Amino acid sequence: MRFRLTEDQRALRDGMRGLVARRFDRAALRAAVDRPGRLDRVLWRELGAAGFFALRLPEADGGVGLGLPETVLAFEEAGRALLPGPLVATHLAAGRVPGAAEGETVVAAVDAGGLVEWLTEADVVCGEVDGAVPLRSVDPLTPLHRVAGVTAAVDPVAVLLTAAEQLGTATRACELAVQHARAREQFGQPIGAFQAVKHLCAELLVRVEVARAAVYAAAVTADPADIAAARLLADEAAVRGARDCLQVHGGMGFTWEADVHLLLKRAWLRTRRAGGGTESEELLAADLLSAAGR
Amino acid sequence: MDLADSPEDAEFRARLREWLGKVLPTLPPKPSPDDWPGRRAYDLGWQRTLYDAGYADVHWQATPGVRLIFLEETEKAGAPYVGAGFVGLLHAGPTIAAEGTAGQRARWLPPILRGEEVWCQGFSEPDAGSDLAALRTRAWRDGDDYVVSGSKIWTSHAEVADWCELLVRTDPGAPKHKGITWLAMPMDTPGITVRPLRTLAGSAEFAEVFLDEVRVPVTHRVGEENDGWRVTMVTLSFERGTAFVGEVVACRRVLGELAVAARRNGRWDDPVLRRRLGALNAEFRALWRLTQWNVSAAEAQGGLPGVGGSVFKLRYSQARQELYDTAADVLGDESLDADRPWVHDRLSSLSYTIAAGTSQIQRNIVAERILGLPKGR
C-alpha cells in the first residue's frame, strides 16, 4: 500500500494547476461572471490540447491513456478554480463524440436528475432534451435547463468526477477562509487568533482531508460504495466549507464582489447532480447489509 | 496511489491471518469489564501469546504499513485488544526505546514485550488536563533519589500497574514547558495511594493517584532533568498516530451489526434511520481511507506520525459518538437497558472528544500548526 501521490501524479496535478492559473485567473473568473452564459472556446481547446478530456482514452485512440486517479486530480483542480463549462459531460463523451477529446466539440448531457448544464452553448447534447425549460440559474457560471421525466442510469464515473470537483471547491474555500482570517484585523489582531474563527477554519480543513481520502480511494478502487461515500463527503465538504468560508469573511462574505458566493452556488448546483444525497445514502445502507452477508 | 498490499505485506497478512485462525479458538473467555485483575491476567496472557509467535514488537519494529495490517487483521478476527498493556506497548515502551539508555531499555522493554509488567500513565493532574504543562507534582533531589509529592488523575489501570510513566516538575522557577522531568516509578513504592474513580458508565476505568514523598531512584529518569516535555511530545505523537486504527475497524463491524439488527426489528423500514446508517457507512469508510493516507504519509517521512493525527481524531471521536447515538435509535427501549453491550459503548464513547487532547485543543493544533493561524489566548 502506497496511498499517496506518485511523482507523475504530482507533476500532472501541478501542470493542471499551472495551466488553470495562467488561463483562468481571478480576473478571468470575474469576467466570466460579468458575461454569463458564454463559454470560452479558446480555453476549451487549450484544455483539450492539454489532454484534459482525453485523459482516460487509450493512447491507441489518440488519448493520454491514464486512469481514474489522474482524472480525479485534474477535475479537482478544475473545481478549485471554478472552471466553467460541461466538463464532466465532455470528458465522458471523449472517444464517442468526434472532437470532444480535442476540446473542439462542447458536449452537454442530460443528467439522470433531469438538469442540463450549458445546453445552448453545446455543439452536441447527449440525451433527450425535447421540451427543456430554461432556469434562471443561481450560479452565474452555469446556465441550466430542466427536462421532465428523465430515466437515465447513473454513471458512477460522473458521480466520482463531481466529487472531485467538489473536493477542489472545498479546498479553495478552506484556502480563502484561512487567507482572510490571517489578513483581516479586528479588536487589534488578526481574526484568525480568535478561537471561534480558528475552530471554523480547523473544521474546514478536517472536512477537506476526510473528503480527499475518500475521493482518492474511490478513484483507486472504482467501487460503487466507495464512490458513493466520496460523493457524500465531498458534497458536505464543498457546501459546508463554502458556508463557513462566507461566515469567516463576515459582511464582506455576503457581497457579490467577494468570490465566496461563487463557490457556494457552484457547490449547491453540483449537489443536485445525480448520485448524491439520498441516492448515495441508500446505496451505502444497502451495502451494509450485503457486506454483512445477511 | 495504490491501496493494494506489496508482496511482502501480503505475505505478512496471510501468515498473520492463518496464525490468528489457529490461536483464537484456544483462548479462554474474556473477563467482565469491571474485573481488572482478571483483565490484567487476560491481556498479559495475550501479549505472551503474541511474544511466543514473534508478533510482540510489531508496534515498535515494523513499518507503519505492517502495523496497520496487524491492527486491521487482529480486530477483524476478534482478537483481544491491547487492553491493560496499552501504556506499556504504545506509550512508555516507544518512549524508552527512543530516549532511554541501554540499561533502561534492557530493564524495562523485555517485560513489556513478554507480557510481564503493566504500565500506567501519570501525566494528567486535577489542574493540568488539556493544559498538560501546567502540572504541579513536585520532585526534588535527595542523594540518589527524587522525592515526589503531588497527585495525578485519570490514570487508567493504576491499581493493576507495576510501573508509572510519571511527569514531575523539577524546576518550579523555569517556564512551564521547561522544568519537567520524565520518571519511571514502581507502583509498589511506599507513599503511593491509588483511589479508583467511577465513570458515568458505572465502571472503574481509571484512578486518582496520590504521591506523598515517594522516593524514585535518579537512575529511573528517562532523558535529561527538566527535558521531560520534549520526551513527552515523542510519546504523544505515537498516541495520535495509529492508536485508533483497530477501533475504526471495530466501528465498521458494529455498523454492519446495527444494520442487521435494524432489519431484524423492523427499524430498517424507516428511511431516515436507514439513510443515517448509510451516511455512517460513508463516514467510517472515509476514516479508514484517511488512516491509510496518514500511515502512507508517515511511512514516506520515515515512520513518524504527523499532525494528520489531530485531523483524524477530531472527526473520529465525533463519528464514534454518532454511531452509538444511532445504535440507540436502532435499539429503541433497549437502549435504556444498562446490560446491553452497546449501551456501555455509547456511554464510554462520550470520553473520546475529551481524552488524549479535547476536540477544542485539537482544533487549535490543526489551526495553528497546519493552517498557520496566529496563536491566541
Side-chain angles (χ1 to χ4, degrees), chain A residues 223-278:
Chain A
D223 172 74
D226 277 340
I227 289 176
R231 177 67 188 276
L232 274 181
L233 293 162
D235 278 355
E236 182 205 17
V239 172
R240 292 203 48 195
R243 292 184 72 137
D244 285 355
C245 179
L246 197 150
Q247 181 69 24
V248 169
H249 276 74
M252 174 56 70
F254 194 65
T255 65
W256 187 267
E257 178 192 341
D259 296 340
V260 189
H261 69 108
L262 301 173
L263 302 176
L264 180 59
K265 289 165 180 175
R266 186 71 72 85
W268 275 346
L269 183 137
R270 294 195 199 105
T271 62
R272 300 301 307 167
R273 290 189 196 154
T278 307

Tab-separated table of all heavy atoms in Angstrom, chain A residues 223-278:
chain	number	residue	atom	x	y	z
A	223	ASP	N	-14.931	1.300	-6.717
A	223	ASP	CA	-16.013	0.540	-6.098
A	223	ASP	C	-17.233	1.461	-5.906
A	223	ASP	O	-17.084	2.597	-5.446
A	223	ASP	CB	-15.506	0.022	-4.739
A	223	ASP	CG	-16.596	-0.619	-3.930
A	223	ASP	OD1	-16.979	-1.744	-4.277
A	223	ASP	OD2	-17.076	0.017	-2.954
A	224	PRO	N	-18.437	0.990	-6.295
A	224	PRO	CA	-19.612	1.872	-6.216
A	224	PRO	C	-19.875	2.433	-4.811
A	224	PRO	O	-20.254	3.606	-4.680
A	224	PRO	CB	-20.773	0.966	-6.653
A	224	PRO	CG	-20.138	-0.122	-7.435
A	224	PRO	CD	-18.767	-0.325	-6.877
A	225	ALA	N	-19.658	1.623	-3.766
A	225	ALA	CA	-19.884	2.128	-2.405
A	225	ALA	C	-18.820	3.163	-2.037
A	225	ALA	O	-19.115	4.175	-1.386
A	225	ALA	CB	-19.886	0.977	-1.398
A	226	ASP	N	-17.593	2.936	-2.464
A	226	ASP	CA	-16.533	3.929	-2.216
A	226	ASP	C	-16.864	5.235	-2.930
A	226	ASP	O	-16.634	6.326	-2.398
A	226	ASP	CB	-15.173	3.411	-2.704
A	226	ASP	CG	-14.497	2.496	-1.679
A	226	ASP	OD1	-14.868	2.557	-0.494
A	226	ASP	OD2	-13.604	1.723	-2.073
A	227	ILE	N	-17.370	5.125	-4.159
A	227	ILE	CA	-17.716	6.323	-4.936
A	227	ILE	C	-18.864	7.078	-4.258
A	227	ILE	O	-18.836	8.306	-4.137
A	227	ILE	CB	-18.078	5.953	-6.392
A	227	ILE	CG1	-16.810	5.514	-7.132
A	227	ILE	CG2	-18.740	7.121	-7.109
A	227	ILE	CD1	-17.039	5.020	-8.553
A	228	ALA	N	-19.860	6.341	-3.785
A	228	ALA	CA	-20.985	6.980	-3.096
A	228	ALA	C	-20.504	7.707	-1.834
A	228	ALA	O	-20.925	8.829	-1.543
A	228	ALA	CB	-22.045	5.943	-2.747
A	229	ALA	N	-19.595	7.052	-1.092
A	229	ALA	CA	-19.058	7.675	0.123
A	229	ALA	C	-18.281	8.941	-0.237
A	229	ALA	O	-18.421	9.983	0.416
A	229	ALA	CB	-18.152	6.690	0.871
A	230	ALA	N	-17.488	8.851	-1.292
A	230	ALA	CA	-16.693	10.000	-1.723
A	230	ALA	C	-17.600	11.173	-2.077
A	230	ALA	O	-17.356	12.321	-1.698
A	230	ALA	CB	-15.832	9.615	-2.925
A	231	ARG	N	-18.674	10.888	-2.784
A	231	ARG	CA	-19.592	11.945	-3.211
A	231	ARG	C	-20.262	12.611	-2.009
A	231	ARG	O	-20.336	13.844	-1.922
A	231	ARG	CB	-20.633	11.337	-4.152
A	231	ARG	CG	-21.704	12.292	-4.622
A	231	ARG	CD	-21.169	13.390	-5.545
A	231	ARG	NE	-22.217	14.354	-5.783
A	231	ARG	CZ	-23.157	14.208	-6.708
A	231	ARG	NH1	-23.147	13.154	-7.526
A	231	ARG	NH2	-24.100	15.108	-6.852
A	232	LEU	N	-20.739	11.794	-1.059
A	232	LEU	CA	-21.396	12.354	0.133
A	232	LEU	C	-20.459	13.297	0.886
A	232	LEU	O	-20.840	14.406	1.264
A	232	LEU	CB	-21.814	11.229	1.083
A	232	LEU	CG	-23.151	10.541	0.864
A	232	LEU	CD1	-23.357	9.482	1.949
A	232	LEU	CD2	-24.294	11.552	0.896
A	233	LEU	N	-19.222	12.833	1.100
A	233	LEU	CA	-18.298	13.623	1.917
A	233	LEU	C	-17.791	14.843	1.168
A	233	LEU	O	-17.556	15.899	1.759
A	233	LEU	CB	-17.145	12.728	2.387
A	233	LEU	CG	-17.655	11.667	3.367
A	233	LEU	CD1	-16.696	10.523	3.518
A	233	LEU	CD2	-17.971	12.289	4.718
A	234	ALA	N	-17.646	14.708	-0.160
A	234	ALA	CA	-17.179	15.855	-0.941
A	234	ALA	C	-18.279	16.912	-1.051
A	234	ALA	O	-18.009	18.116	-0.991
A	234	ALA	CB	-16.718	15.404	-2.319
A	235	ASP	N	-19.536	16.468	-1.222
A	235	ASP	CA	-20.662	17.414	-1.218
A	235	ASP	C	-20.685	18.191	0.097
A	235	ASP	O	-20.826	19.418	0.126
A	235	ASP	CB	-22.003	16.671	-1.388
A	235	ASP	CG	-22.327	16.344	-2.847
A	235	ASP	OD1	-21.568	16.769	-3.747
A	235	ASP	OD2	-23.346	15.664	-3.091
A	236	GLU	N	-20.518	17.453	1.201
A	236	GLU	CA	-20.531	18.082	2.523
A	236	GLU	C	-19.381	19.073	2.665
A	236	GLU	O	-19.562	20.217	3.120
A	236	GLU	CB	-20.416	17.005	3.618
A	236	GLU	CG	-20.463	17.573	5.031
A	236	GLU	CD	-19.777	16.691	6.068
A	236	GLU	OE1	-18.979	15.799	5.692
A	236	GLU	OE2	-20.014	16.914	7.259
A	237	ALA	N	-18.194	18.644	2.236
A	237	ALA	CA	-17.005	19.498	2.386
A	237	ALA	C	-17.160	20.785	1.571
A	237	ALA	O	-16.776	21.871	2.018
A	237	ALA	CB	-15.747	18.738	1.958
A	238	ALA	N	-17.745	20.676	0.363
A	238	ALA	CA	-17.868	21.851	-0.504
A	238	ALA	C	-18.951	22.802	0.000
A	238	ALA	O	-18.722	24.015	0.106
A	238	ALA	CB	-18.168	21.413	-1.934
A	239	VAL	N	-20.120	22.271	0.308
A	239	VAL	CA	-21.237	23.135	0.710
A	239	VAL	C	-20.980	23.760	2.076
A	239	VAL	O	-21.057	24.982	2.245
A	239	VAL	CB	-22.569	22.346	0.706
A	239	VAL	CG1	-23.673	23.191	1.315
A	239	VAL	CG2	-22.927	21.935	-0.713
A	240	ARG	N	-20.651	22.933	3.044
A	240	ARG	CA	-20.410	23.492	4.392
A	240	ARG	C	-19.148	24.330	4.401
A	240	ARG	O	-19.053	25.321	5.113
A	240	ARG	CB	-20.344	22.366	5.429
A	240	ARG	CG	-21.721	21.709	5.604
A	240	ARG	CD	-21.866	21.034	6.930
A	240	ARG	NE	-21.455	21.859	8.049
A	240	ARG	CZ	-21.222	21.384	9.261
A	240	ARG	NH1	-21.356	20.101	9.494
A	240	ARG	NH2	-20.858	22.190	10.233
A	241	GLY	N	-18.171	23.918	3.599
A	241	GLY	CA	-16.928	24.680	3.514
A	241	GLY	C	-17.185	26.083	2.989
A	241	GLY	O	-16.675	27.067	3.530
A	242	ALA	N	-17.993	26.178	1.915
A	242	ALA	CA	-18.276	27.495	1.340
A	242	ALA	C	-19.070	28.351	2.329
A	242	ALA	O	-18.841	29.555	2.460
A	242	ALA	CB	-19.036	27.339	0.024
A	243	ARG	N	-19.997	27.723	3.037
A	243	ARG	CA	-20.787	28.481	4.024
A	243	ARG	C	-19.904	28.997	5.152
A	243	ARG	O	-20.024	30.149	5.579
A	243	ARG	CB	-21.891	27.600	4.617
A	243	ARG	CG	-22.958	27.232	3.627
A	243	ARG	CD	-24.044	26.457	4.309
A	243	ARG	NE	-24.821	27.325	5.161
A	243	ARG	CZ	-26.145	27.287	5.244
A	243	ARG	NH1	-26.825	26.409	4.531
A	243	ARG	NH2	-26.774	28.103	6.035
A	244	ASP	N	-19.024	28.131	5.658
A	244	ASP	CA	-18.135	28.562	6.745
A	244	ASP	C	-17.163	29.628	6.250
A	244	ASP	O	-16.806	30.543	6.992
A	244	ASP	CB	-17.371	27.366	7.321
A	244	ASP	CG	-18.262	26.487	8.191
A	244	ASP	OD1	-19.425	26.871	8.415
A	244	ASP	OD2	-17.801	25.412	8.635
A	245	CYS	N	-16.733	29.497	4.988
A	245	CYS	CA	-15.836	30.488	4.399
A	245	CYS	C	-16.545	31.836	4.359
A	245	CYS	O	-15.960	32.880	4.681
A	245	CYS	CB	-15.432	30.039	3.001
A	245	CYS	SG	-14.347	31.183	2.158
A	246	LEU	N	-17.823	31.820	4.000
A	246	LEU	CA	-18.626	33.049	3.973
A	246	LEU	C	-18.707	33.651	5.379
A	246	LEU	O	-18.542	34.856	5.568
A	246	LEU	CB	-20.021	32.721	3.434
A	246	LEU	CG	-20.893	33.877	2.940
A	246	LEU	CD1	-21.817	33.372	1.825
A	246	LEU	CD2	-21.740	34.483	4.041
A	247	GLN	N	-18.918	32.803	6.357
A	247	GLN	CA	-19.021	33.263	7.746
A	247	GLN	C	-17.709	33.914	8.194
A	247	GLN	O	-17.723	34.972	8.830
A	247	GLN	CB	-19.375	32.081	8.659
A	247	GLN	CG	-19.524	32.434	10.127
A	247	GLN	CD	-20.756	33.280	10.402
A	247	GLN	OE1	-21.729	33.251	9.636
A	247	GLN	NE2	-20.730	34.046	11.470
A	248	VAL	N	-16.579	33.278	7.852
A	248	VAL	CA	-15.277	33.837	8.234
A	248	VAL	C	-15.076	35.209	7.593
A	248	VAL	O	-14.495	36.105	8.193
A	248	VAL	CB	-14.121	32.871	7.853
A	248	VAL	CG1	-12.761	33.552	8.008
A	248	VAL	CG2	-14.175	31.610	8.708
A	249	HIS	N	-15.610	35.390	6.368
A	249	HIS	CA	-15.470	36.669	5.667
A	249	HIS	C	-16.388	37.766	6.231
A	249	HIS	O	-16.262	38.924	5.831
A	249	HIS	CB	-15.747	36.508	4.174
A	249	HIS	CG	-14.551	36.033	3.402
A	249	HIS	ND1	-14.090	34.738	3.466
A	249	HIS	CD2	-13.703	36.670	2.552
A	249	HIS	CE1	-13.031	34.600	2.696
A	249	HIS	NE2	-12.764	35.753	2.130
A	250	GLY	N	-17.324	37.384	7.103
A	250	GLY	CA	-18.203	38.380	7.703
A	250	GLY	C	-19.026	39.109	6.653
A	250	GLY	O	-19.431	38.516	5.646
A	251	GLY	N	-19.251	40.398	6.867
A	251	GLY	CA	-20.082	41.186	5.944
A	251	GLY	C	-19.544	41.143	4.524
A	251	GLY	O	-20.306	41.059	3.553
A	252	MET	N	-18.220	41.152	4.394
A	252	MET	CA	-17.593	41.068	3.073
A	252	MET	C	-18.032	39.799	2.334
A	252	MET	O	-18.221	39.799	1.116
A	252	MET	CB	-16.075	41.091	3.279
A	252	MET	CG	-15.242	40.868	2.044
A	252	MET	SD	-15.592	42.017	0.708
A	252	MET	CE	-14.914	43.523	1.395
A	253	GLY	N	-18.222	38.709	3.107
A	253	GLY	CA	-18.602	37.428	2.507
A	253	GLY	C	-19.984	37.449	1.881
A	253	GLY	O	-20.303	36.626	1.024
A	254	PHE	N	-20.826	38.424	2.307
A	254	PHE	CA	-22.203	38.491	1.800
A	254	PHE	C	-22.302	39.350	0.543
A	254	PHE	O	-23.379	39.553	0.001
A	254	PHE	CB	-23.126	39.044	2.902
A	254	PHE	CG	-24.585	38.852	2.613
A	254	PHE	CD1	-25.127	37.583	2.553
A	254	PHE	CD2	-25.412	39.946	2.386
A	254	PHE	CE1	-26.488	37.398	2.275
A	254	PHE	CE2	-26.765	39.766	2.099
A	254	PHE	CZ	-27.298	38.491	2.042
A	255	THR	N	-21.172	39.832	0.051
A	255	THR	CA	-21.209	40.703	-1.126
A	255	THR	C	-21.008	39.915	-2.422
A	255	THR	O	-20.426	38.830	-2.429
A	255	THR	CB	-20.099	41.775	-1.056
A	255	THR	OG1	-18.822	41.117	-1.114
A	255	THR	CG2	-20.201	42.589	0.211
A	256	TRP	N	-21.491	40.534	-3.531
A	256	TRP	CA	-21.278	39.973	-4.869
A	256	TRP	C	-19.795	40.034	-5.246
A	256	TRP	O	-19.268	39.224	-5.990
A	256	TRP	CB	-22.127	40.767	-5.877
A	256	TRP	CG	-22.126	40.186	-7.267
A	256	TRP	CD1	-21.299	40.527	-8.288
A	256	TRP	CD2	-22.978	39.156	-7.777
A	256	TRP	NE1	-21.578	39.770	-9.400
A	256	TRP	CE2	-22.609	38.922	-9.111
A	256	TRP	CE3	-24.030	38.406	-7.201
A	256	TRP	CZ2	-23.250	37.976	-9.917
A	256	TRP	CZ3	-24.665	37.461	-8.004
A	256	TRP	CH2	-24.273	37.258	-9.335
A	257	GLU	N	-19.146	41.080	-4.688
A	257	GLU	CA	-17.753	41.362	-5.010
A	257	GLU	C	-16.794	40.257	-4.540
A	257	GLU	O	-15.825	39.933	-5.219
A	257	GLU	CB	-17.412	42.690	-4.325
A	257	GLU	CG	-16.009	43.180	-4.463
A	257	GLU	CD	-15.756	44.342	-3.488
A	257	GLU	OE1	-16.734	44.960	-3.014
A	257	GLU	OE2	-14.607	44.591	-3.190
A	258	ALA	N	-17.075	39.681	-3.360
A	258	ALA	CA	-16.224	38.584	-2.879
A	258	ALA	C	-16.562	37.317	-3.675
A	258	ALA	O	-17.691	37.139	-4.134
A	258	ALA	CB	-16.454	38.357	-1.384
A	259	ASP	N	-15.576	36.425	-3.834
A	259	ASP	CA	-15.782	35.232	-4.658
A	259	ASP	C	-16.540	34.122	-3.925
A	259	ASP	O	-16.898	33.110	-4.531
A	259	ASP	CB	-14.419	34.666	-5.098
A	259	ASP	CG	-13.673	35.631	-5.999
A	259	ASP	OD1	-14.331	36.514	-6.581
A	259	ASP	OD2	-12.439	35.500	-6.116
A	260	VAL	N	-16.755	34.307	-2.633
A	260	VAL	CA	-17.255	33.196	-1.816
A	260	VAL	C	-18.592	32.663	-2.331
A	260	VAL	O	-18.811	31.453	-2.389
A	260	VAL	CB	-17.410	33.635	-0.335
A	260	VAL	CG1	-17.716	32.431	0.526
A	260	VAL	CG2	-16.154	34.331	0.144
A	261	HIS	N	-19.483	33.583	-2.764
A	261	HIS	CA	-20.810	33.108	-3.203
A	261	HIS	C	-20.695	32.225	-4.453
A	261	HIS	O	-21.504	31.327	-4.663
A	261	HIS	CB	-21.748	34.295	-3.453
A	261	HIS	CG	-21.403	35.149	-4.631
A	261	HIS	ND1	-22.156	35.135	-5.786
A	261	HIS	CD2	-20.396	36.013	-4.855
A	261	HIS	CE1	-21.603	35.995	-6.653
A	261	HIS	NE2	-20.555	36.539	-6.106
A	262	LEU	N	-19.657	32.469	-5.260
A	262	LEU	CA	-19.478	31.652	-6.465
A	262	LEU	C	-19.148	30.203	-6.089
A	262	LEU	O	-19.612	29.255	-6.726
A	262	LEU	CB	-18.361	32.244	-7.338
A	262	LEU	CG	-18.597	33.686	-7.802
A	262	LEU	CD1	-17.354	34.225	-8.512
A	262	LEU	CD2	-19.823	33.772	-8.721
A	263	LEU	N	-18.357	30.053	-5.020
A	263	LEU	CA	-18.027	28.715	-4.527
A	263	LEU	C	-19.291	28.004	-4.035
A	263	LEU	O	-19.559	26.849	-4.365
A	263	LEU	CB	-17.034	28.782	-3.367
A	263	LEU	CG	-15.684	29.454	-3.559
A	263	LEU	CD1	-14.916	29.473	-2.245
A	263	LEU	CD2	-14.864	28.727	-4.598
A	264	LEU	N	-20.060	28.739	-3.229
A	264	LEU	CA	-21.236	28.134	-2.621
A	264	LEU	C	-22.278	27.762	-3.677
A	264	LEU	O	-22.845	26.659	-3.654
A	264	LEU	CB	-21.848	29.097	-1.588
A	264	LEU	CG	-23.093	28.583	-0.871
A	264	LEU	CD1	-22.799	27.277	-0.125
A	264	LEU	CD2	-23.627	29.621	0.112
A	265	LYS	N	-22.516	28.660	-4.639
A	265	LYS	CA	-23.545	28.400	-5.644
A	265	LYS	C	-23.158	27.210	-6.526
A	265	LYS	O	-23.996	26.378	-6.860
A	265	LYS	CB	-23.767	29.662	-6.481
A	265	LYS	CG	-24.481	30.758	-5.698
A	265	LYS	CD	-24.377	32.100	-6.386
A	265	LYS	CE	-25.110	33.184	-5.588
A	265	LYS	NZ	-24.900	34.509	-6.195
A	266	ARG	N	-21.879	27.150	-6.900
A	266	ARG	CA	-21.449	26.008	-7.722
A	266	ARG	C	-21.556	24.706	-6.908
A	266	ARG	O	-21.956	23.665	-7.425
A	266	ARG	CB	-20.021	26.213	-8.207
A	266	ARG	CG	-19.544	25.137	-9.195
A	266	ARG	CD	-20.208	25.250	-10.554
A	266	ARG	NE	-19.716	26.396	-11.273
A	266	ARG	CZ	-18.602	26.380	-12.017
A	266	ARG	NH1	-17.929	25.268	-12.165
A	266	ARG	NH2	-18.199	27.461	-12.610
A	267	ALA	N	-21.187	24.770	-5.636
A	267	ALA	CA	-21.270	23.572	-4.789
A	267	ALA	C	-22.723	23.108	-4.660
A	267	ALA	O	-23.016	21.911	-4.774
A	267	ALA	CB	-20.675	23.868	-3.414
A	268	TRP	N	-23.644	24.058	-4.460
A	268	TRP	CA	-25.068	23.711	-4.393
A	268	TRP	C	-25.509	23.021	-5.671
A	268	TRP	O	-26.192	22.004	-5.647
A	268	TRP	CB	-25.902	24.985	-4.235
A	268	TRP	CG	-26.066	25.468	-2.831
A	268	TRP	CD1	-25.800	24.789	-1.681
A	268	TRP	CD2	-26.551	26.769	-2.453
A	268	TRP	NE1	-26.081	25.591	-0.601
A	268	TRP	CE2	-26.557	26.792	-1.035
A	268	TRP	CE3	-26.980	27.885	-3.147
A	268	TRP	CZ2	-26.975	27.904	-0.315
A	268	TRP	CZ3	-27.399	29.001	-2.429
A	268	TRP	CH2	-27.393	29.007	-1.031
A	269	LEU	N	-25.138	23.628	-6.787
A	269	LEU	CA	-25.560	23.107	-8.092
A	269	LEU	C	-25.090	21.662	-8.278
A	269	LEU	O	-25.844	20.802	-8.724
A	269	LEU	CB	-24.981	24.028	-9.167
A	269	LEU	CG	-25.319	23.754	-10.615
A	269	LEU	CD1	-25.638	25.068	-11.312
A	269	LEU	CD2	-24.170	23.079	-11.322
A	270	ARG	N	-23.828	21.402	-7.908
A	270	ARG	CA	-23.306	20.044	-8.105
A	270	ARG	C	-24.007	19.023	-7.206
A	270	ARG	O	-24.109	17.858	-7.559
A	270	ARG	CB	-21.803	20.015	-7.838
A	270	ARG	CG	-20.974	20.816	-8.829
A	270	ARG	CD	-19.498	20.426	-8.706
A	270	ARG	NE	-18.623	21.432	-9.272
A	270	ARG	CZ	-17.881	22.288	-8.548
A	270	ARG	NH1	-17.920	22.236	-7.229
A	270	ARG	NH2	-17.117	23.163	-9.142
A	271	THR	N	-24.480	19.475	-6.016
A	271	THR	CA	-25.167	18.501	-5.142
A	271	THR	C	-26.449	17.994	-5.798
A	271	THR	O	-26.934	16.922	-5.457
A	271	THR	CB	-25.556	19.091	-3.764
A	271	THR	OG1	-26.481	20.174	-3.974
A	271	THR	CG2	-24.349	19.584	-2.998
A	272	ARG	N	-27.007	18.791	-6.772
A	272	ARG	CA	-28.250	18.370	-7.423
A	272	ARG	C	-28.002	17.359	-8.537
A	272	ARG	O	-28.948	16.798	-9.082
A	272	ARG	CB	-29.002	19.581	-8.013
A	272	ARG	CG	-29.413	20.634	-7.009
A	272	ARG	CD	-30.305	20.107	-5.926
A	272	ARG	NE	-31.480	19.411	-6.448
A	272	ARG	CZ	-32.282	18.645	-5.718
A	272	ARG	NH1	-32.033	18.457	-4.442
A	272	ARG	NH2	-33.323	18.064	-6.266
A	273	ARG	N	-26.750	17.183	-8.936
A	273	ARG	CA	-26.476	16.162	-9.959
A	273	ARG	C	-26.777	14.777	-9.397
A	273	ARG	O	-26.679	14.548	-8.187
A	273	ARG	CB	-24.998	16.232	-10.380
A	273	ARG	CG	-24.660	17.477	-11.179
A	273	ARG	CD	-23.248	17.343	-11.726
A	273	ARG	NE	-22.731	18.621	-12.182
A	273	ARG	CZ	-21.430	18.915	-12.238
A	273	ARG	NH1	-20.533	18.020	-11.863
A	273	ARG	NH2	-21.043	20.084	-12.692
A	274	ALA	N	-27.097	13.846	-10.314
A	274	ALA	CA	-27.494	12.505	-9.884
A	274	ALA	C	-26.356	11.820	-9.120
A	274	ALA	O	-25.183	12.074	-9.378
A	274	ALA	CB	-27.874	11.673	-11.102
A	275	GLY	N	-26.746	10.937	-8.193
A	275	GLY	CA	-25.763	10.132	-7.476
A	275	GLY	C	-25.288	10.755	-6.179
A	275	GLY	O	-24.351	10.255	-5.561
A	276	GLY	N	-25.921	11.848	-5.741
A	276	GLY	CA	-25.537	12.428	-4.454
A	276	GLY	C	-26.594	12.143	-3.401
A	276	GLY	O	-27.493	11.327	-3.619
A	277	GLY	N	-26.483	12.821	-2.281
A	277	GLY	CA	-27.501	12.805	-1.224
A	277	GLY	C	-28.156	11.478	-0.926
A	277	GLY	O	-27.485	10.488	-0.622
A	278	THR	N	-29.481	11.490	-1.042
A	278	THR	CA	-30.283	10.316	-0.685
A	278	THR	C	-29.852	9.061	-1.439
A	278	THR	O	-29.761	7.984	-0.860
A	278	THR	CB	-31.769	10.612	-0.990
A	278	THR	OG1	-32.113	11.829	-0.349
A	278	THR	CG2	-32.652	9.508	-0.475
